[in-house]
Amino acid sequence: MNADYLRTIPTIQEFFKIDPAGELKEGTRILLEAMEEVEIKKGDDVVTLGATSEDGMYIILKGITEVLNAKGNLINTLSVGDFIGELGLINDDIRGATVRAATDVVCANISKNLFEEIAGRNRKIYGTFMNMLYTKTTKLVTEQERIKSELAVATKIQAECLEDDFSSFNILKDVKLKAAMRPAKEVGGDFYDMFMIDEEHLCFLIADVSGKGVPAALFMTMAKTHIKNYATLNLPLSEVAERANNQLCYKNESGMFVTAFICVLDLRTDDVTFINAGHNRPFVIDENGEFGMLPAKANLALGMMEGMPYREQHFKLSKGNCIYLYTDGVTEALNPSQEFFGDARLKDVLNAHMNKASDVDSFLENMYKEVDSFANGEMQADDITMVYLSRK
């Protein structure tokens, strides 16, 4: 290939320590010129999990590829300038992942045999390549440590945004509250909140942002802030939802949205006004003294379309009653057989722990244990969040 063309690619400059204004070192020029241009059609593999590494290293010149793990799940995307399989030039390991062309792809490639032949004639090439590989690996490890540190800070900030001390609500007559969120990644998109609007009205809610990780966490912070700000103005709950929705739609070019179940309990009348913005329906203790799913018509999730109306609905949460809210991380938890936890099983385990219904701490702890027991070691794929209010 044309070494002068390849040297213009920033990642190649970085990897081979090329001075854009200087002359190419002899070893680097020999290596770049030895590379051949290969074309990979969309849907074909550049490298395949479990295959040998005889085909060596690739550098993407055009197109996009997807990195897939053993289960076929997407774990990364690579594009122009990214390296594929550079370790294949110096070891005999099999490929640890599949890299598949998401579009038609053009790569520069050097096989392991050709690399060894060139390096055999000029040992400096091998030493230069090893030094460059060490530099890249060291930089990658440093970057990963930086990201890990920043994620740890983000995790701490998010945890501090969510209420974890519910003792201040103990002054409320016949009301006990408990909530918890366990993210699937370092930070999550689920959230909950509970606060007094005034001396007679308690707001409590649960929500689930589309997506995961840092983007979901940022959107979660915006959604939580908008809902609380409007709710504390003592506006009708329908207007709270409408205003929060309009704010979340504003410049929402990423297309993120949030499902939410927002409740306001009137402590005088026991009436609960609620908005269901596309969220899972909660479970309440019904007239038979058992947990059953609350009839609740759903409106559109927040952040999807500006100017949408939100319908207020009502039910009674009198003394002796309880309500359990959750995100789909509960019902969509998987076991090793790839079965969902599901609504029916959730109802059964809620009723199985009815004797602990008045002890909010034990009750929620038991619910998490039930989900974990069902999962039986299967990796958590989504945030798992629960809110529980008891008036027993």
Side-chain angles (χ1 to χ4, degrees), residues 189 191 207-210 219 223 248 256-260 277 300-304:
F191 67 94
D208 183 359
V209 175
S210 60
F219 202 76
L248 292 173
M256 298 188 77
F257 60 88
V258 53
T259 68
L300 199 66
L302 304 174
M304 295 189 71

Side-chain angles (χ1 to χ4, degrees), residues 182-237:
R182 190 168 71 192
K185 294 186 176 182
E186 288 84 354
V187 290
D190 284 6
F191 67 94
Y192 59 83
D193 206 355
M194 54 276 301
F195 52 88
M196 296 301 298
I197 296 173
D198 55 36
E199 293 182 356
E200 297 172 340
H201 294 90
L202 167 67
C203 182
F204 58 98
L205 61 102
I206 193 167
D208 183 359
V209 175
S210 60
K212 303 178 185 66
V214 174
L218 291 172
F219 202 76
M220 159 258 182
T221 303
M222 293 171 55
K224 183 174 182 291
T225 301
H226 289 316
I227 293 171
K228 185 169 185 176
N229 283 349
Y230 290 124
T232 51
L233 293 176
N234 215 352
L235 299 171
L237 195 55

Side-chain angles (χ1 to χ4, degrees), residues 63-316:
I64 299 171
T65 66
E66 296 179 337
V67 184
L68 310 173
N69 64 14
K71 293 184 177 181
N73 297 325
L74 179 66
I75 57 176
N76 199 4
T77 57
L78 303 175
S79 57
V80 175
D82 285 327
F83 286 62
I84 300 171
E86 57 268 30
L87 289 175
L89 295 181
I90 59 172
N91 63 32
D92 296 320
D93 291 343
I94 62 174
R95 299 299 191 186
T98 292
V99 181
R100 185 165 296 156
T103 65
D104 288 344
V105 172
V106 177
C107 293
N109 168 250
I110 183 168
S111 69
K112 183 174 182 178
N113 286 340
L114 182 56
F115 174 78
E116 290 177 347
E117 180 185 330
I118 294 171
R121 294 197 303 264
N122 187 339
R123 297 306 296 175
K124 287 184 178 179
I125 291 177
Y126 188 85
T128 300
F129 183 81
M130 289 297 293
N131 285 336
M132 291 182 296
L133 195 59
Y134 174 77
T135 300
K136 180 182 179 182
T137 304
T138 302
K139 183 178 179 181
L140 179 62
V141 170
T142 302
E143 180 68 8
Q144 288 175 336
E145 287 300 317
R146 182 189 66 80
I147 293 172
K148 183 178 179 180
S149 176
E150 290 183 356
L151 282 174
V153 174
T155 302
K156 184 174 184 294
I157 292 173
Q158 184 178 45
E160 290 172 349
C161 286
L162 298 175
E163 185 70 56
D164 62 354
D165 180 7
F166 305 95
S167 59
S168 61
F169 297 100
N170 291 340
I171 60 172
L172 301 177
K173 185 179 179 181
D174 304 321
V175 174
K176 297 178 182 177
L177 273 168
K178 182 69 176 180
M181 192 270 280
R182 190 168 71 192
K185 294 186 176 182
E186 288 84 354
V187 290
D190 284 6
F191 67 94
Y192 59 83
D193 206 355
M194 54 276 301
F195 52 88
M196 296 301 298
I197 296 173
D198 55 36
E199 293 182 356
E200 297 172 340
H201 294 90
L202 167 67
C203 182
F204 58 98
L205 61 102
I206 193 167
D208 183 359
V209 175
S210 60
K212 303 178 185 66
V214 174
L218 291 172
F219 202 76
M220 159 258 182
T221 303
M222 293 171 55
K224 183 174 182 291
T225 301
H226 289 316
I227 293 171
K228 185 169 185 176
N229 283 349
Y230 290 124
T232 51
L233 293 176
N234 215 352
L235 299 171
L237 195 55
S238 57
E239 188 173 344
V240 171
E242 288 170 20
R243 291 195 182 192
N245 172 63
N246 289 341
Q247 288 294 329
L248 292 173
C249 287
Y250 179 66
K251 290 188 176 181
N252 183 11
E253 296 177 2
S254 63
M256 298 188 77
F257 60 88
V258 53
T259 68
F261 204 97
I262 311 169
C263 302
V264 174
L265 168 63
D266 187 323
L267 297 169
R268 299 168 303 170
T269 65
D270 299 334
D271 184 63
V272 175
T273 303
F274 69 89
I275 296 288
N276 181 10
H279 198 77
N280 307 75
R281 290 185 293 161
F283 284 83
V284 296
I285 296 179
D286 57 25
E287 63 275 7
N288 298 320
E290 296 183 347
F291 278 102
M293 189 174 281
L294 178 71
K297 294 183 178 180
N299 294 126
L300 199 66
L302 304 174
M304 295 189 71
M305 187 179 297
E306 193 172 356
M308 293 298 297
Y310 286 85
R311 175 186 176 185
E312 292 183 1
Q313 300 173 71
H314 302 267
F315 71 97
K316 288 287 186 180

